Amino acid sequence: ALSHNVNEYYYFYHSQMREHLLKEADIESKMDKALENKEFVFFLQPKFNVNGEKILGAEALVRWIDSQQQMIMPNDFIPLFEKNGFILKLDEYVFESVCQYMSSRISQHQNVIPISVNISRLHLYQHDFIERYVKIKEKYQIPDQLLELEITENILLEDVKRVQTIVAELQAHGFLCSIDDFGSGYSSLNLLKDLPINVIKLDRFFLKDNYNVVRSYEIIKSVINMAKSIDIYTVAEGVETKEQQQFLQTIGCDMIQGYIFSKPLPIDEFNKYL
Ligand code: C2E
Ligand code: MG
Ligand code: MG
Ligand code: MG
């Protein structure tokens, strides 16, 4: 009986592996065409002031609407695209689409708010990354301080010196730079001393159920105070409850991005909001 079970397990394991590989191969065989066919679109999730009365900005989040009109979420393809390098093309495409969107609003004299775009760690190792992004920003004549680039916290620890140079250069070209998922890793506060970043985005797990625990409460409060004292804006991500919102209001967090106010929205719906 035992050997039977072992075989069964072995078979199961193998068929799962195979399915996984097939799925990856499937995605890889479709990604280039998908980009050509404009199947990648961005949604916008508004960032509000802490009491939810005013939209202060938005984050662009990519979605893949495939040929069967199925929506595929970033967590299902971004890890693979980071492995095979396709993320470099995709990020730049999303960035350019955002610039295009902003420039069309500007030319129609509609209000524009700052938009943040995620960039993969891989960009930091491309010699022409800044040049390419600056070129696109200039092509669409996007004014300074309206585009923000989000860099995930764990990258920053890898190579502080390199990121320091890149952040300074991006800022000199009118970009804002933020640390995404702050508090998800073991970032040291020294990082902020060495890195003149504009915004920190508190990871949603950093806040989860912590606001009523004294130690966590005090830690989050001091992170926000410290950020304020060195002119860094704070955005809390993934805020879902009234309790979290009230807590963030009490401790003086600048912005809230979360389902409590709005999910990421397709562009036309987002425009209605504005
Ligand atoms: P992220 O950059 O940390 O983006 C925030 C994620 O939290 C988004 O997930 C957003 O929909 C989700 N979120 C916002 N508010 C709430 C909330 O109240 N509750 C919960 N449960 N979730 C909330 P999404 O859109 O699925 O994106 C996942 C991740 O994929 C992003 O995390 C980002 O790391 C990555 N990503 C998305 N678009 C891009 C892109 O264009 N380029 C790159 N390199 N990465 C991207
Ligand atoms: Mg982000
Ligand atoms: Mg991110
Ligand atoms: Mg985040």
Side-chain angles (χ1 to χ4, degrees), residues 32-58:
D32 289 296
K33 260 265 157 320
L35 191 62
E36 251 174 63
N37 294 345
K38 304 192 188 316
E39 291 177 22
F40 293 102
V41 298
F42 67 88
F43 278 31
L44 288 173
Q45 185 178 30
K47 297 171 197 169
F48 288 83
N49 71 337
V50 82
N51 59 24
E53 283 167 357
K54 205 168 180 281
I55 297 185
L56 300 175

PDB file of all heavy atoms in Angstrom, residues 32-58:
ATOM      1  N   ASP A  32       4.659  38.161 -26.705  1.00  0.00           N
ATOM      2  CA  ASP A  32       5.051  39.176 -27.697  1.00  0.00           C
ATOM      3  C   ASP A  32       3.861  39.650 -28.533  1.00  0.00           C
ATOM      4  O   ASP A  32       3.661  40.845 -28.731  1.00  0.00           O
ATOM      5  CB  ASP A  32       6.155  38.627 -28.616  1.00  0.00           C
ATOM      6  CG  ASP A  32       7.479  38.493 -27.887  1.00  0.00           C
ATOM      7  OD1 ASP A  32       8.020  39.537 -27.460  1.00  0.00           O
ATOM      8  OD2 ASP A  32       7.958  37.362 -27.721  1.00  0.00           O
ATOM      9  N   LYS A  33       3.082  38.664 -28.995  1.00  0.00           N
ATOM     10  CA  LYS A  33       1.873  38.978 -29.756  1.00  0.00           C
ATOM     11  C   LYS A  33       0.917  39.823 -28.919  1.00  0.00           C
ATOM     12  O   LYS A  33       0.296  40.772 -29.406  1.00  0.00           O
ATOM     13  CB  LYS A  33       1.160  37.684 -30.177  1.00  0.00           C
ATOM     14  CG  LYS A  33       1.421  37.254 -31.613  1.00  0.00           C
ATOM     15  CD  LYS A  33       0.315  37.770 -32.531  1.00  0.00           C
ATOM     16  CE  LYS A  33       0.649  37.919 -33.995  1.00  0.00           C
ATOM     17  NZ  LYS A  33       1.922  38.431 -34.408  1.00  0.00           N
ATOM     18  N   ALA A  34       0.812  39.453 -27.639  1.00  0.00           N
ATOM     19  CA  ALA A  34      -0.097  40.161 -26.737  1.00  0.00           C
ATOM     20  C   ALA A  34       0.283  41.635 -26.619  1.00  0.00           C
ATOM     21  O   ALA A  34      -0.574  42.518 -26.600  1.00  0.00           O
ATOM     22  CB  ALA A  34      -0.103  39.492 -25.356  1.00  0.00           C
ATOM     23  N   LEU A  35       1.581  41.878 -26.578  1.00  0.00           N
ATOM     24  CA  LEU A  35       2.052  43.262 -26.483  1.00  0.00           C
ATOM     25  C   LEU A  35       1.716  44.013 -27.778  1.00  0.00           C
ATOM     26  O   LEU A  35       1.190  45.126 -27.741  1.00  0.00           O
ATOM     27  CB  LEU A  35       3.563  43.280 -26.224  1.00  0.00           C
ATOM     28  CG  LEU A  35       4.194  44.615 -25.844  1.00  0.00           C
ATOM     29  CD1 LEU A  35       3.634  45.141 -24.531  1.00  0.00           C
ATOM     30  CD2 LEU A  35       5.715  44.483 -25.736  1.00  0.00           C
ATOM     31  N   GLU A  36       1.990  43.352 -28.899  1.00  0.00           N
ATOM     32  CA  GLU A  36       1.663  43.927 -30.207  1.00  0.00           C
ATOM     33  C   GLU A  36       0.170  44.244 -30.333  1.00  0.00           C
ATOM     34  O   GLU A  36      -0.222  45.276 -30.858  1.00  0.00           O
ATOM     35  CB  GLU A  36       1.999  42.909 -31.305  1.00  0.00           C
ATOM     36  CG  GLU A  36       3.185  43.245 -32.158  1.00  0.00           C
ATOM     37  CD  GLU A  36       3.484  42.071 -33.085  1.00  0.00           C
ATOM     38  OE1 GLU A  36       2.613  41.769 -33.924  1.00  0.00           O
ATOM     39  OE2 GLU A  36       4.564  41.464 -32.940  1.00  0.00           O
ATOM     40  N   ASN A  37      -0.641  43.306 -29.858  1.00  0.00           N
ATOM     41  CA  ASN A  37      -2.098  43.454 -29.966  1.00  0.00           C
ATOM     42  C   ASN A  37      -2.706  44.354 -28.893  1.00  0.00           C
ATOM     43  O   ASN A  37      -3.925  44.396 -28.751  1.00  0.00           O
ATOM     44  CB  ASN A  37      -2.774  42.081 -29.888  1.00  0.00           C
ATOM     45  CG  ASN A  37      -2.419  41.207 -31.077  1.00  0.00           C
ATOM     46  OD1 ASN A  37      -1.915  41.697 -32.087  1.00  0.00           O
ATOM     47  ND2 ASN A  37      -2.664  39.917 -30.940  1.00  0.00           N
ATOM     48  N   LYS A  38      -1.850  44.977 -28.119  1.00  0.00           N
ATOM     49  CA  LYS A  38      -2.297  45.880 -27.048  1.00  0.00           C
ATOM     50  C   LYS A  38      -3.212  45.191 -26.038  1.00  0.00           C
ATOM     51  O   LYS A  38      -4.204  45.775 -25.582  1.00  0.00           O
ATOM     52  CB  LYS A  38      -2.997  47.117 -27.628  1.00  0.00           C
ATOM     53  CG  LYS A  38      -2.136  47.896 -28.616  1.00  0.00           C
ATOM     54  CD  LYS A  38      -2.773  49.240 -28.909  1.00  0.00           C
ATOM     55  CE  LYS A  38      -2.102  50.022 -30.027  1.00  0.00           C
ATOM     56  NZ  LYS A  38      -0.638  50.069 -30.024  1.00  0.00           N
ATOM     57  N   GLU A  39      -2.879  43.941 -25.717  1.00  0.00           N
ATOM     58  CA  GLU A  39      -3.677  43.226 -24.716  1.00  0.00           C
ATOM     59  C   GLU A  39      -3.304  43.633 -23.293  1.00  0.00           C
ATOM     60  O   GLU A  39      -4.013  43.315 -22.348  1.00  0.00           O
ATOM     61  CB  GLU A  39      -3.506  41.701 -24.890  1.00  0.00           C
ATOM     62  CG  GLU A  39      -4.139  41.177 -26.169  1.00  0.00           C
ATOM     63  CD  GLU A  39      -3.910  39.680 -26.380  1.00  0.00           C
ATOM     64  OE1 GLU A  39      -3.643  38.958 -25.393  1.00  0.00           O
ATOM     65  OE2 GLU A  39      -4.000  39.232 -27.536  1.00  0.00           O
ATOM     66  N   PHE A  40      -2.164  44.321 -23.149  1.00  0.00           N
ATOM     67  CA  PHE A  40      -1.795  44.808 -21.817  1.00  0.00           C
ATOM     68  C   PHE A  40      -2.357  46.215 -21.635  1.00  0.00           C
ATOM     69  O   PHE A  40      -2.123  47.088 -22.469  1.00  0.00           O
ATOM     70  CB  PHE A  40      -0.281  44.821 -21.643  1.00  0.00           C
ATOM     71  CG  PHE A  40       0.326  43.444 -21.638  1.00  0.00           C
ATOM     72  CD1 PHE A  40       0.972  42.946 -22.764  1.00  0.00           C
ATOM     73  CD2 PHE A  40       0.220  42.628 -20.513  1.00  0.00           C
ATOM     74  CE1 PHE A  40       1.514  41.664 -22.771  1.00  0.00           C
ATOM     75  CE2 PHE A  40       0.763  41.344 -20.507  1.00  0.00           C
ATOM     76  CZ  PHE A  40       1.410  40.867 -21.640  1.00  0.00           C
ATOM     77  N   VAL A  41      -3.116  46.397 -20.600  1.00  0.00           N
ATOM     78  CA  VAL A  41      -3.685  47.719 -20.332  1.00  0.00           C
ATOM     79  C   VAL A  41      -3.375  48.068 -18.882  1.00  0.00           C
ATOM     80  O   VAL A  41      -3.018  47.194 -18.090  1.00  0.00           O
ATOM     81  CB  VAL A  41      -5.220  47.735 -20.533  1.00  0.00           C
ATOM     82  CG1 VAL A  41      -5.581  47.414 -21.969  1.00  0.00           C
ATOM     83  CG2 VAL A  41      -5.916  46.778 -19.578  1.00  0.00           C
ATOM     84  N   PHE A  42      -3.481  49.345 -18.552  1.00  0.00           N
ATOM     85  CA  PHE A  42      -3.289  49.681 -17.145  1.00  0.00           C
ATOM     86  C   PHE A  42      -4.595  50.159 -16.534  1.00  0.00           C
ATOM     87  O   PHE A  42      -5.409  50.795 -17.201  1.00  0.00           O
ATOM     88  CB  PHE A  42      -2.160  50.697 -16.960  1.00  0.00           C
ATOM     89  CG  PHE A  42      -2.433  52.071 -17.517  1.00  0.00           C
ATOM     90  CD1 PHE A  42      -3.062  53.040 -16.737  1.00  0.00           C
ATOM     91  CD2 PHE A  42      -2.070  52.408 -18.822  1.00  0.00           C
ATOM     92  CE1 PHE A  42      -3.326  54.311 -17.239  1.00  0.00           C
ATOM     93  CE2 PHE A  42      -2.330  53.676 -19.339  1.00  0.00           C
ATOM     94  CZ  PHE A  42      -2.953  54.621 -18.543  1.00  0.00           C
ATOM     95  N   PHE A  43      -4.793  49.810 -15.297  1.00  0.00           N
ATOM     96  CA  PHE A  43      -5.881  50.338 -14.484  1.00  0.00           C
ATOM     97  C   PHE A  43      -5.286  51.414 -13.597  1.00  0.00           C
ATOM     98  O   PHE A  43      -4.071  51.464 -13.402  1.00  0.00           O
ATOM     99  CB  PHE A  43      -6.504  49.230 -13.614  1.00  0.00           C
ATOM    100  CG  PHE A  43      -7.520  48.367 -14.326  1.00  0.00           C
ATOM    101  CD1 PHE A  43      -7.426  48.109 -15.689  1.00  0.00           C
ATOM    102  CD2 PHE A  43      -8.584  47.791 -13.621  1.00  0.00           C
ATOM    103  CE1 PHE A  43      -8.368  47.311 -16.343  1.00  0.00           C
ATOM    104  CE2 PHE A  43      -9.521  46.992 -14.266  1.00  0.00           C
ATOM    105  CZ  PHE A  43      -9.418  46.751 -15.625  1.00  0.00           C
ATOM    106  N   LEU A  44      -6.134  52.286 -13.076  1.00  0.00           N
ATOM    107  CA  LEU A  44      -5.627  53.311 -12.153  1.00  0.00           C
ATOM    108  C   LEU A  44      -6.329  53.173 -10.811  1.00  0.00           C
ATOM    109  O   LEU A  44      -7.559  53.109 -10.748  1.00  0.00           O
ATOM    110  CB  LEU A  44      -5.863  54.710 -12.733  1.00  0.00           C
ATOM    111  CG  LEU A  44      -4.979  55.123 -13.914  1.00  0.00           C
ATOM    112  CD1 LEU A  44      -5.421  56.457 -14.500  1.00  0.00           C
ATOM    113  CD2 LEU A  44      -3.497  55.185 -13.499  1.00  0.00           C
ATOM    114  N   GLN A  45      -5.541  53.113  -9.763  1.00  0.00           N
ATOM    115  CA  GLN A  45      -6.132  53.108  -8.416  1.00  0.00           C
ATOM    116  C   GLN A  45      -5.835  54.449  -7.757  1.00  0.00           C
ATOM    117  O   GLN A  45      -4.669  54.812  -7.588  1.00  0.00           O
ATOM    118  CB  GLN A  45      -5.573  51.973  -7.558  1.00  0.00           C
ATOM    119  CG  GLN A  45      -6.295  51.903  -6.205  1.00  0.00           C
ATOM    120  CD  GLN A  45      -5.815  50.764  -5.325  1.00  0.00           C
ATOM    121  OE1 GLN A  45      -4.656  50.357  -5.391  1.00  0.00           O
ATOM    122  NE2 GLN A  45      -6.698  50.259  -4.478  1.00  0.00           N
ATOM    123  N   PRO A  46      -6.903  55.195  -7.413  1.00  0.00           N
ATOM    124  CA  PRO A  46      -6.674  56.511  -6.831  1.00  0.00           C
ATOM    125  C   PRO A  46      -6.024  56.457  -5.447  1.00  0.00           C
ATOM    126  O   PRO A  46      -6.225  55.516  -4.697  1.00  0.00           O
ATOM    127  CB  PRO A  46      -8.080  57.111  -6.721  1.00  0.00           C
ATOM    128  CG  PRO A  46      -9.043  56.004  -6.945  1.00  0.00           C
ATOM    129  CD  PRO A  46      -8.327  54.878  -7.592  1.00  0.00           C
ATOM    130  N   LYS A  47      -5.236  57.487  -5.172  1.00  0.00           N
ATOM    131  CA  LYS A  47      -4.702  57.702  -3.819  1.00  0.00           C
ATOM    132  C   LYS A  47      -5.425  58.912  -3.273  1.00  0.00           C
ATOM    133  O   LYS A  47      -5.479  59.959  -3.929  1.00  0.00           O
ATOM    134  CB  LYS A  47      -3.196  57.995  -3.877  1.00  0.00           C
ATOM    135  CG  LYS A  47      -2.358  56.870  -4.430  1.00  0.00           C
ATOM    136  CD  LYS A  47      -0.919  57.342  -4.664  1.00  0.00           C
ATOM    137  CE  LYS A  47      -0.201  56.383  -5.577  1.00  0.00           C
ATOM    138  NZ  LYS A  47       1.093  56.929  -6.040  1.00  0.00           N
ATOM    139  N   PHE A  48      -5.979  58.776  -2.099  1.00  0.00           N
ATOM    140  CA  PHE A  48      -6.783  59.843  -1.505  1.00  0.00           C
ATOM    141  C   PHE A  48      -6.051  60.492  -0.348  1.00  0.00           C
ATOM    142  O   PHE A  48      -5.151  59.878   0.242  1.00  0.00           O
ATOM    143  CB  PHE A  48      -8.079  59.256  -0.954  1.00  0.00           C
ATOM    144  CG  PHE A  48      -9.069  58.833  -2.012  1.00  0.00           C
ATOM    145  CD1 PHE A  48      -8.945  57.585  -2.629  1.00  0.00           C
ATOM    146  CD2 PHE A  48     -10.108  59.664  -2.386  1.00  0.00           C
ATOM    147  CE1 PHE A  48      -9.866  57.181  -3.592  1.00  0.00           C
ATOM    148  CE2 PHE A  48     -11.026  59.267  -3.350  1.00  0.00           C
ATOM    149  CZ  PHE A  48     -10.908  58.027  -3.956  1.00  0.00           C
ATOM    150  N   ASN A  49      -6.477  61.694  -0.003  1.00  0.00           N
ATOM    151  CA  ASN A  49      -6.020  62.225   1.270  1.00  0.00           C
ATOM    152  C   ASN A  49      -6.649  61.349   2.354  1.00  0.00           C
ATOM    153  O   ASN A  49      -7.550  60.546   2.084  1.00  0.00           O
ATOM    154  CB  ASN A  49      -6.359  63.716   1.422  1.00  0.00           C
ATOM    155  CG  ASN A  49      -7.838  63.953   1.624  1.00  0.00           C
ATOM    156  OD1 ASN A  49      -8.652  63.107   1.245  1.00  0.00           O
ATOM    157  ND2 ASN A  49      -8.197  65.075   2.195  1.00  0.00           N
ATOM    158  N   VAL A  50      -6.167  61.518   3.583  1.00  0.00           N
ATOM    159  CA  VAL A  50      -6.459  60.484   4.569  1.00  0.00           C
ATOM    160  C   VAL A  50      -7.945  60.382   4.944  1.00  0.00           C
ATOM    161  O   VAL A  50      -8.426  59.317   5.332  1.00  0.00           O
ATOM    162  CB  VAL A  50      -5.503  60.642   5.781  1.00  0.00           C
ATOM    163  CG1 VAL A  50      -6.009  61.707   6.722  1.00  0.00           C
ATOM    164  CG2 VAL A  50      -5.236  59.323   6.462  1.00  0.00           C
ATOM    165  N   ASN A  51      -8.695  61.462   4.770  1.00  0.00           N
ATOM    166  CA  ASN A  51     -10.124  61.307   5.073  1.00  0.00           C
ATOM    167  C   ASN A  51     -10.978  60.975   3.845  1.00  0.00           C
ATOM    168  O   ASN A  51     -12.194  60.881   3.925  1.00  0.00           O
ATOM    169  CB  ASN A  51     -10.676  62.527   5.827  1.00  0.00           C
ATOM    170  CG  ASN A  51     -10.505  63.809   5.042  1.00  0.00           C
ATOM    171  OD1 ASN A  51     -10.405  63.784   3.813  1.00  0.00           O
ATOM    172  ND2 ASN A  51     -10.457  64.939   5.734  1.00  0.00           N
ATOM    173  N   GLY A  52     -10.313  60.781   2.710  1.00  0.00           N
ATOM    174  CA  GLY A  52     -11.010  60.261   1.540  1.00  0.00           C
ATOM    175  C   GLY A  52     -11.795  61.290   0.754  1.00  0.00           C
ATOM    176  O   GLY A  52     -12.609  60.945  -0.091  1.00  0.00           O
ATOM    177  N   GLU A  53     -11.521  62.579   0.989  1.00  0.00           N
ATOM    178  CA  GLU A  53     -12.298  63.619   0.310  1.00  0.00           C
ATOM    179  C   GLU A  53     -11.684  64.060  -1.007  1.00  0.00           C
ATOM    180  O   GLU A  53     -12.353  64.638  -1.849  1.00  0.00           O
ATOM    181  CB  GLU A  53     -12.437  64.841   1.225  1.00  0.00           C
ATOM    182  CG  GLU A  53     -13.483  64.624   2.301  1.00  0.00           C
ATOM    183  CD  GLU A  53     -13.418  65.676   3.396  1.00  0.00           C
ATOM    184  OE1 GLU A  53     -12.510  66.552   3.345  1.00  0.00           O
ATOM    185  OE2 GLU A  53     -14.261  65.610   4.309  1.00  0.00           O
ATOM    186  N   LYS A  54     -10.372  63.791  -1.147  1.00  0.00           N
ATOM    187  CA  LYS A  54      -9.700  64.383  -2.288  1.00  0.00           C
ATOM    188  C   LYS A  54      -8.749  63.372  -2.930  1.00  0.00           C
ATOM    189  O   LYS A  54      -8.013  62.687  -2.223  1.00  0.00           O
ATOM    190  CB  LYS A  54      -8.885  65.592  -1.776  1.00  0.00           C
ATOM    191  CG  LYS A  54      -8.607  66.645  -2.803  1.00  0.00           C
ATOM    192  CD  LYS A  54      -8.071  67.917  -2.122  1.00  0.00           C
ATOM    193  CE  LYS A  54      -7.792  68.982  -3.153  1.00  0.00           C
ATOM    194  NZ  LYS A  54      -6.591  68.876  -3.911  1.00  0.00           N
ATOM    195  N   ILE A  55      -8.772  63.291  -4.271  1.00  0.00           N
ATOM    196  CA  ILE A  55      -7.816  62.425  -4.961  1.00  0.00           C
ATOM    197  C   ILE A  55      -6.506  63.192  -5.163  1.00  0.00           C
ATOM    198  O   ILE A  55      -6.507  64.285  -5.717  1.00  0.00           O
ATOM    199  CB  ILE A  55      -8.351  61.977  -6.341  1.00  0.00           C
ATOM    200  CG1 ILE A  55      -9.615  61.135  -6.163  1.00  0.00           C
ATOM    201  CG2 ILE A  55      -7.302  61.178  -7.091  1.00  0.00           C
ATOM    202  CD1 ILE A  55     -10.136  60.545  -7.470  1.00  0.00           C
ATOM    203  N   LEU A  56      -5.412  62.614  -4.682  1.00  0.00           N
ATOM    204  CA  LEU A  56      -4.131  63.304  -4.781  1.00  0.00           C
ATOM    205  C   LEU A  56      -3.212  62.684  -5.834  1.00  0.00           C
ATOM    206  O   LEU A  56      -2.189  63.251  -6.200  1.00  0.00           O
ATOM    207  CB  LEU A  56      -3.423  63.300  -3.422  1.00  0.00           C
ATOM    208  CG  LEU A  56      -4.189  63.976  -2.270  1.00  0.00           C
ATOM    209  CD1 LEU A  56      -3.443  63.803  -0.953  1.00  0.00           C
ATOM    210  CD2 LEU A  56      -4.399  65.466  -2.557  1.00  0.00           C
ATOM    211  N   GLY A  57      -3.579  61.492  -6.277  1.00  0.00           N
ATOM    212  CA  GLY A  57      -2.739  60.814  -7.258  1.00  0.00           C
ATOM    213  C   GLY A  57      -3.332  59.459  -7.580  1.00  0.00           C
ATOM    214  O   GLY A  57      -4.446  59.152  -7.148  1.00  0.00           O
ATOM    215  N   ALA A  58      -2.583  58.668  -8.355  1.00  0.00           N
ATOM    216  CA  ALA A  58      -3.060  57.327  -8.703  1.00  0.00           C
ATOM    217  C   ALA A  58      -1.864  56.444  -9.007  1.00  0.00           C
ATOM    218  O   ALA A  58      -0.777  56.933  -9.318  1.00  0.00           O
ATOM    219  CB  ALA A  58      -3.989  57.381  -9.912  1.00  0.00           C
TER     220      ALA A  58
END
